[in-house]
């Protein structure tokens, strides 16, 4: 059955959102460029992007709902269903995974009783695995509403989500103090974070990420090269040429007609 038109916001909510939306749109020479922040704006109202929110964006930008839906469904930062006050994302990309990210994600699923993208019954935590957070020197990394929690373990991650559900004050390793996902969405829409100290608390890159920069500025000496165990130290002579598998001679049907390529029967094999 075809869907009914999306219900509109209550009059007072729509008036408030329209005022905010006009402020956002005025920042762009082409109004449709404001679609991403407007999707964050409507997400800050309901905690996810609803059909009503997409219709609102279409109305404000003179777009079709299909155009808005195409964008809202492309980016994972826009939620399409109700989610928790705290989006807990466990990095399971390569380095974080091997450093414990996979174990943390599996443990949190069992601990919270939810799967990927699901929310706890109390509406507090939505758990998901996410791609690289560009914080590999702090692996494994967990993010809560896009704030960093570095060098996590299974135990610290469990304690983190327990504190979030209990309403305890939780401080990220770097960055601004935590706020709810709706409040985060409003900041991402381009509105100032007016909480005391939030702007001054912005995070920065870690020491390992800055080594190259410090070397370039001459602030530290190059690291000592550690030679392979048992090599006896630096080699006086350059190593002998080692051909790759692409360069080394290959016994193929082209190079060795006596051994043609192709399946070998049992009789031939014997």
């Amino acid at each position: 059955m075809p869907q009914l038109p999306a219900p509109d916001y209550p009059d007072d909510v729509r008036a408030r959102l329209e005022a905010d939306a006009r402020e956002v749109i005025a920042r762009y020479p082409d109004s449709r460029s404001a679609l991403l922040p407007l999707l964050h704006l409507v997400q800050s109202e309901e905690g996810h992007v609803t059909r009503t929110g997409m219709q609102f964006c279409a109305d404000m930008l003179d777009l079709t709902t299909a155009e808005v839906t195409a964008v809202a469904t492309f980016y994972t930062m826009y939620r399409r269903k109700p989610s928790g006050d705290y989006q807990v994302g466990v990095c399971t990309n390569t380095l974080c995974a091997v450093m414990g990210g996979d174990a943390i994600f599996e443990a949190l699923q069992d601990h919270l009783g939810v799967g990927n993208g699901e929310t706890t019954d109390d509406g507090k935590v939505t758990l998901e695995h996410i791609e690289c957070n560009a914080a590999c020197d702090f692996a494994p990394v967990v993010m809560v509403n896009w704030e960093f929690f570095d060098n996590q373990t299974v135990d610290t991650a469990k304690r983190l989500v327990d504190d979030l559900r209990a309403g305890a004050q939780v401080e990220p390793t770097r960055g601004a103090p935590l706020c709810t996902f709706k409040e985060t969405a409003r900041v991402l829409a381009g509105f100032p974070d007016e909480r005391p100290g939030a702007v001054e608390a912005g995070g920065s890159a870690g020491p390992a990420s800055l080594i190259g920069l410090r070397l370039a500025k001459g602030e530290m000496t190059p690291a000592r090269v550690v030679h392979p165990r048992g090599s006896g130290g630096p080699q006086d002579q350059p190593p002998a040429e080692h051909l790759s598998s692409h360069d080394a001679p290959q016994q193929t049907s082209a190079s060795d007609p006596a051994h043609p390529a192709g399946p070998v029967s049992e009789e031939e094999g014997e």
Side-chain angles (χ1 to χ4, degrees):
M1 294 292 291
Q3 284 187 315
L4 295 173
D8 202 354
Y9 289 118
D11 291 342
D12 58 330
V13 174
R14 185 175 181 93
R16 173 168 47 80
L17 290 176
E18 284 183 355
D20 288 339
R22 292 191 194 98
E23 181 179 337
V24 172
I25 294 169
R27 301 170 187 159
Y28 298 89
D30 184 347
S31 64
R32 69 182 297 146
S33 299
L35 178 54
L36 295 182
L38 284 195
L39 285 169
H40 282 300
L41 176 64
V42 297
Q43 185 160 252
S44 73
E45 183 65 32
E46 299 180 88
H48 66 294
V49 177
T50 63
R51 292 174 56 234
T52 297
M54 287 190 283
Q55 182 65 62
F56 173 82
C57 292
D59 292 344
M60 296 300 299
L61 299 175
D62 195 24
L63 299 173
T64 66
T65 54
E67 290 173 308
V68 176
T69 302
V71 174
T73 56
F74 181 81
Y75 293 103
T76 57
M77 59 189 174
Y78 301 121
R79 312 302 182 193
R80 297 299 311 283
K81 60 182 180 180
S83 56
D85 293 334
Y86 299 99
Q87 307 284 318
V88 175
V90 182
C91 181
T92 55
N93 217 323
T94 307
L95 184 57
C96 278
V98 300
M99 294 292 288
D102 281 347
I104 290 172
F105 183 63
E106 183 177 349
L108 288 185
Q109 289 185 93
D110 291 338
H111 186 64
L112 296 172
V114 297
N116 182 47
E118 295 180 353
T119 303
T120 54
D121 292 338
D122 57 10
K124 293 291 186 181
V125 171
T126 297
L127 179 67
E128 62 177 350
H129 69 80
I130 52 180
E131 293 300 319
C132 183
N133 291 314
C136 301
D137 45 329
F138 296 112
V141 174
V142 173
M143 296 196 85
V144 180
N145 293 350
W146 311 120
E147 301 294 350
F148 288 103
F149 289 80
D150 302 323
N151 301 313
Q152 292 295 293
T153 66
V154 168
D155 288 339
T156 61
K158 286 182 178 179
R159 190 158 57 246
L160 170 61
V161 296
D162 287 345
D163 287 344
L164 291 173
R165 299 182 73 184
Q169 184 173 0
V170 175
E171 295 293 336
T173 309
R174 295 172 287 140
L178 280 185
C179 57
T180 66
F181 182 64
K182 289 182 179 180
E183 292 170 323
T184 301
R186 183 169 177 82
V187 173
L188 292 175
F191 294 93
D193 190 339
E194 298 177 348
R195 295 174 299 151
V199 175
E200 294 77 10
S204 62
S209 302
L210 299 176
I211 287 177
L213 177 62
R214 294 179 62 193
L215 282 171
K217 290 181 176 181
E219 296 176 357
M220 59 185 294
T221 58
R224 180 173 63 88
V225 177
V226 179
H227 294 274
R229 190 176 301 166
S231 65
Q235 301 292 324
D236 294 330
Q237 300 295 328
E241 182 182 10
H242 178 72
L243 297 173
S244 74
S245 59
H246 298 287
D247 299 324
Q250 302 292 313
Q251 294 298 323
T252 66
S253 58
S255 63
D256 186 4
H259 296 83
V264 178
S265 66
E266 286 189 21
E267 292 78 11
E268 290 174 328
E270 294 171 354

